[in-house]
Amino acid sequence: MFEVSVEARFAATHQLRTSDGQAEPLHEHVWVVRVTYAGEELHADGLLVDFGAVRARLADVLRPLEGQNLNCVAALAGQPPSAEIVARHIARHLPASLGERARLRGVEVEEEPGCRARYKLPAG
């Protein structure tokens, strides 16, 4: 099995509620996003998928989030903009496959150094 991962960053603010219902202060992160595509066979050119193709698709998904308050992004409405929700949102807006060989495996979001959430897609 081959895997290809691409990272990108975007800056955005968010505000979550703690388990006791209190609102955190609005704060900003530079979110680091890593997307991974996987497949068993390489194309004749030796690639599973071109990094540039993954990077371009990811940039399209992140562009509406850049510089935004994630609490106010319509696509996330009704959900707390946690790293987990952001990872799932990104995964749902990326192509499930790129070419016939590469399938989206998962999306990892790092909210701050050492604090990550991963949304893994089911196999198959």
Side-chain angles (χ1 to χ4, degrees):
M1 178 72 69
F2 295 95
E3 290 187 341
V4 170
S5 296
V6 170
E7 270 188 17
R9 290 170 170 69
F10 72 98
T13 59
H14 74 155
Q15 182 179 40
L16 299 174
R17 292 204 173 272
T18 60
S19 58
D20 64 1
Q22 297 296 312
E24 295 179 333
L26 183 66
H27 57 282
E28 184 178 51
H29 296 287
V30 175
W31 304 72
V32 179
V33 178
R34 177 182 297 135
V35 301
T36 301
Y37 281 84
E40 294 189 23
E41 295 183 35
L42 301 179
H43 190 271
D45 60 7
L47 302 176
L48 176 66
V49 65
D50 185 273
F51 288 125
V54 178
R55 186 176 293 119
R57 297 296 180 103
L58 180 56
D60 289 343
V61 173
L62 298 182
R63 194 170 295 111
L65 305 177
E66 177 65 45
Q68 300 299 309
N69 174 343
L70 298 181
N71 296 78
C72 299
V73 171
L76 297 172
Q79 304 171 85
S82 64
E84 293 88 343
I85 297 295
V86 171
R88 184 179 68 191
H89 167 78
I90 293 166
R92 287 180 173 173
H93 286 84
L94 285 169
S97 61
L98 287 175
E100 54 192 53
R101 294 175 174 77
R103 301 211 43 86
L104 182 61
R105 179 77 157 226
V107 175
E108 182 177 274
V109 172
E110 185 177 69
E111 189 174 294
E112 59 184 57
C115 297
R116 298 178 187 94
R118 181 177 297 136
Y119 182 77
K120 293 175 81 171
L121 280 83

